[in-house]
């Protein structure tokens, strides 16, 4: 993998940069759908033993937070 500091995974953009290292680009049209598809792609990379458990867990936490924020936005809470 590249010289990415995986302790700095904090945003959806950071997770997307990990996928980009494997030529995986996600754009479905709605942000919440992008987050869900990104989570599926991340699971696939982990199941193929291409990314570490630490990277996978950090990324999943970021995606869970982003998904929750996006749901709140769609309900008008933010």
């Amino acid at each position: 993998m590249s010289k990415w500091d995986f302790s700095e995974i904090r945003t959806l953009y950071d997770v997307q940069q990990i996928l980009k290292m494997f030529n995986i680009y996600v754009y479905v049209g709605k942000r919440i759908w992008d987050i869900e598809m990104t989570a599926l792609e991340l699971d696939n990379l982990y199941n193929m033993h291409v990314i570490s458990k630490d990277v996978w867990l950090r990324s999943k936490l970021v995606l869970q937070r982003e998904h929750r924020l996006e749901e709140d936005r769609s309900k008008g809470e933010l």
Side-chain angles (χ1 to χ4, degrees), residues 7-76:
S7 66
E8 297 296 320
I9 303 170
R10 290 192 167 87
T11 65
L12 176 59
Y13 178 79
D14 296 335
V15 177
Q16 289 171 327
Q17 293 307 301
I18 294 168
L19 295 182
K20 187 177 174 183
M21 285 191 269
F22 301 99
N23 289 321
I24 299 171
Y25 299 87
V26 174
Y27 179 76
V28 182
K30 286 182 85 173
R31 182 175 167 85
I32 197 161
W33 296 344
D34 291 345
I35 294 166
E36 292 167 358
M37 182 61 73
T38 299
L40 291 173
E41 292 294 345
L42 197 67
D43 289 344
N44 288 335
L45 290 175
Y46 177 69
N47 290 333
M48 291 186 299
H49 307 286
V50 178
I51 59 173
S52 70
K53 187 172 188 175
D54 184 50
V55 170
W56 179 71
L57 286 173
R58 288 176 187 271
S59 299
K60 290 294 275 192
L61 288 173
V62 167
L63 293 175
Q64 285 178 352
R65 185 189 72 233
E66 293 287 338
H67 194 276
R68 186 175 57 252
L69 288 172
E70 195 60 31
E71 283 181 330
D72 292 346
R73 274 190 203 108
S74 69
K75 293 177 185 175

